Amino acid sequence: MEIRKISSEIIKPSSSTPEHLKSYKLSAMDRFALDISFSLVFYYSSVGACKNISDHLKKSLSETLTYYYPLAGRVKDEFSVDCDDYGVTFIESHVACKMSELIKQPKIELLEQLRPYNEEEMLTTAQANMAVKVNYFDCGGVAICVSFRHVVVDGSTAAYFVRNWAKVASGGSLIDIKDHVVFDCTSIFPSQDVSSMSKGQPDANDEAITEWFVFENSKIAVLQENIGNRPTRFEALLALMWGAMIDAYAKEDDPTVQIGALIPVNLRRKLDPPLPEQCIGNAVTIGMTAWPTKERAEYNKIVFKVRELISMVDEYVKNGFQNGWKTCIIDHAAMDRNSAMKMLNFSGTSRLPFYQTDFGWGKPVWCSAGQRSKNNNFVLVDTSDGKGIQVMVRLSKEDMAKFEQDPAILAYAS
């Protein structure tokens, strides 16, 4: 796949950011987030008769950045963002292939080429909070890739930003959300010393493999019925995939190994009053639990364990963050400090409005999300019909071979 850059320019907010808003405070949750970048890519089969696509996208992006002005800024230090309207890089490129060929059997190495920057360039060379690349295919299809810096944006912010940009591009207005995008989250998650807390590092592995697994609605319904107790789609698929990894390592006859799970929980709806879904920042805490491979992986018990963990988060929020905020809620009863731990990262974005992102030429035919530097990673996104779920799985070669041959994965996944 050959990609040729057509142009590159800086897009600034359509209105200058007022002086009193030029310093945006990072909350404790922001400061604890890994300083990495991640991308969302929206694929459109054809833009048809749309005229002046480039100017149309740039103008609407400029208008949207007026409301999301920290995204046009630069991280000043660990406490704040300088919102001095530096702007967002907007790159256009031509892709010498048909888009259908790319998304029929997506390869992470090819999808990475659709990004405006690779992950290292985004943070070092560009030092950007956000960047855009619009990729035009020979067939008339368009893939819009938007990259974000994680310490400023979480997945919810990113999804709603792109949807709202599309809303402006298709003739809508954001005036109704102007007071629901940027506000001081340090009042909820006050800044504190995080130097003693380990953020961890992106567990990069250049030899890891990324594959997409599609779970059709009918197969998910069967799985839910087999598990019982009415699990959500996320709970059912998490149990299936976590169970596959538990079974894989159980076969190695090492009873000391535990397979852990990191499960992000969006706090926006859990707070009282709730935070708007589209607000900037990181409003996510992490639940962590584990399953010993010496115990048989039973889906209904895994679902119960996940629900217990979410209940711990709910209780923590209900009690008003006693003893300060936490970035990780741990099921201590499940953790054996004397055991080796293999940790899996699960994230469910199936409730986010990816397929509502219509720039004026229809909804996307496919969306992809994630970052290459994070291994043992499972990212769940709705399929385009809103009924099934696709999962981007990134594992080592050895683990992927075990995972994709698991009988339950073969039974439920396409």
Side-chain angles (χ1 to χ4, degrees):
M1 183 177 74
E2 180 183 347
I3 297 183
R4 176 177 57 85
K5 181 187 287 189
I6 300 172
S7 65
S8 177
E9 67 178 279
I10 301 296
I11 306 299
K12 297 178 179 292
S14 58
S15 300
S16 298
T17 302
E19 196 66 34
H20 70 283
L21 298 178
K22 291 207 169 184
S23 182
Y24 169 73
K25 296 178 182 178
L26 294 174
S27 75
M29 289 291 195
D30 297 324
R31 294 175 60 205
F32 196 82
L34 288 173
D35 196 5
I36 58 176
S37 66
F38 66 94
S39 296
L40 303 179
V41 192
F42 301 81
Y43 303 81
Y44 300 88
S45 58
S46 176
V47 297
C50 294
K51 298 180 180 179
N52 303 319
I53 297 172
S54 176
D55 291 342
H56 184 61
L57 290 175
K58 293 173 187 176
K59 183 176 183 296
S60 54
L61 175 60
S62 177
E63 293 173 2
T64 308
L65 286 172
T66 298
Y67 298 91
Y68 288 85
Y69 54 87
L71 297 184
R74 297 291 182 268
V75 173
K76 182 178 181 181
D77 51 41
E78 62 177 318
F79 299 101
S80 63
V81 174
D82 183 3
C83 306
D84 204 17
D85 300 333
Y86 295 96
V88 168
T89 301
F90 186 98
I91 298 171
E92 295 178 283
S93 67
H94 173 260
V95 185
C97 78
K98 294 181 179 180
M99 191 173 68
S100 58
E101 296 174 357
L102 179 67
I103 64 178
K104 183 177 182 180
Q105 292 184 317
K107 299 296 182 184
I108 191 66
E109 296 78 10
L110 298 180
L111 300 186
E112 284 285 304
Q113 297 181 46
L114 303 179
R115 293 185 55 151
Y117 301 106
N118 65 39
E119 292 184 28
E120 182 178 352
E121 290 174 338
M122 180 82 177
L123 304 178
T124 56
T125 305
Q127 296 182 329
N129 293 341
M130 194 188 95
V132 175
K133 188 174 183 181
V134 181
N135 302 274
Y136 300 96
F137 289 78
D138 283 341
C139 59
V142 174
I144 299 178
C145 179
V146 190
S147 296
F148 298 92
R149 189 167 182 168
H150 194 6
V151 295
V152 181
V153 169
D154 65 7
S156 181
T157 302
Y160 278 93
F161 169 82
V162 183
R163 188 203 64 172
N164 288 334
W165 172 22
K167 180 180 178 181
V168 174
S170 58
S173 170
L174 299 185
I175 192 68
D176 57 324
I177 69 162
K178 67 175 183 177
D179 297 323
H180 303 291
V181 172
V182 183
F183 56 92
D184 185 7
C185 281
T186 59
S187 62
I188 304 170
F189 311 117
S191 185
Q192 64 186 72
D193 184 8
V194 300
S195 59
S196 63
M197 303 180 189
S198 174
K199 295 184 182 183
Q201 294 296 327
D203 42 358
N205 178 355
D206 291 337
E207 295 185 356
I209 294 175
T210 300
E211 298 287 356
W212 273 263
F213 297 80
V214 178
F215 297 88
E216 297 176 356
N217 182 51
S218 58
K219 293 290 185 72
I220 297 175
V222 172
L223 176 61
Q224 290 172 302
E225 182 68 24
N226 290 340
I227 293 174
N229 202 23
R230 298 183 180 180
T232 65
R233 297 189 306 162
F234 176 78
E235 290 171 341
L237 290 181
L238 188 152
L240 176 75
M241 295 183 291
W242 190 5
M245 296 299 292
I246 294 167
D247 289 342
Y249 276 83
K251 294 176 182 178
E252 297 187 359
D253 296 324
D254 184 353
T256 67
V257 175
Q258 290 189 104
I259 307 299
L262 293 172
I263 305 169
V265 182
N266 190 341
L267 298 178
R268 288 171 171 83
R269 296 180 184 177
K270 296 180 180 294
L271 296 170
D272 186 17
L275 290 174
E277 291 292 338
Q278 66 264 22
C279 71
I280 286 180
N282 288 271
V284 173
T285 195
I286 305 295
M288 183 168 70
T289 187
W291 191 282
T293 55
K294 62 184 179 182
E295 294 183 16
R296 182 171 175 268
E298 297 182 42
Y299 295 159
N300 60 335
K301 291 183 179 180
I302 292 177
V303 169
F304 180 75
K305 181 180 286 291
V306 172
R307 289 178 175 178
E308 278 191 317
L309 196 61
I310 301 303
S311 294
M312 290 174 62
V313 176
D314 291 340
E315 190 67 21
Y316 168 61
V317 175
K318 180 181 177 181
N319 291 334
F321 306 101
Q322 289 183 359
N323 301 317
W325 64 272
K326 296 178 183 177
T327 57
C328 193
I329 308 295
I330 303 174
D331 177 7
H332 292 282
M335 312 300 282
D336 182 352
R337 296 184 182 276
N338 296 319
S339 296
M341 179 74 71
K342 185 174 188 65
M343 196 64 69
L344 309 177
N345 303 279
F346 293 95
S347 56
T349 59
S350 58
R351 292 183 178 181
L352 296 178
F354 292 114
Y355 289 98
Q356 298 174 22
T357 308
D358 182 354
F359 285 90
W361 51 71
K363 297 179 180 180
V365 295
W366 190 51
C367 299
S368 60
Q371 65 275 344
R372 189 177 184 181
S373 64
K374 200 170 187 178
N375 295 336
N376 301 326
N377 203 29
F378 299 76
V379 182
L380 287 74
V381 182
D382 281 339
T383 53
S384 58
D385 62 5
K387 298 178 180 179
I389 293 180
Q390 65 177 10
V391 186
M392 187 192 80
V393 180
R394 184 165 178 80
L395 297 168
S396 68
K397 290 181 179 179
E398 296 79 10
D399 284 350
M400 185 65 79
K402 299 171 188 174
F403 181 81
E404 60 188 3
Q405 292 304 314
D406 181 86
I409 298 299
L410 291 171
Y412 289 104
S414 300

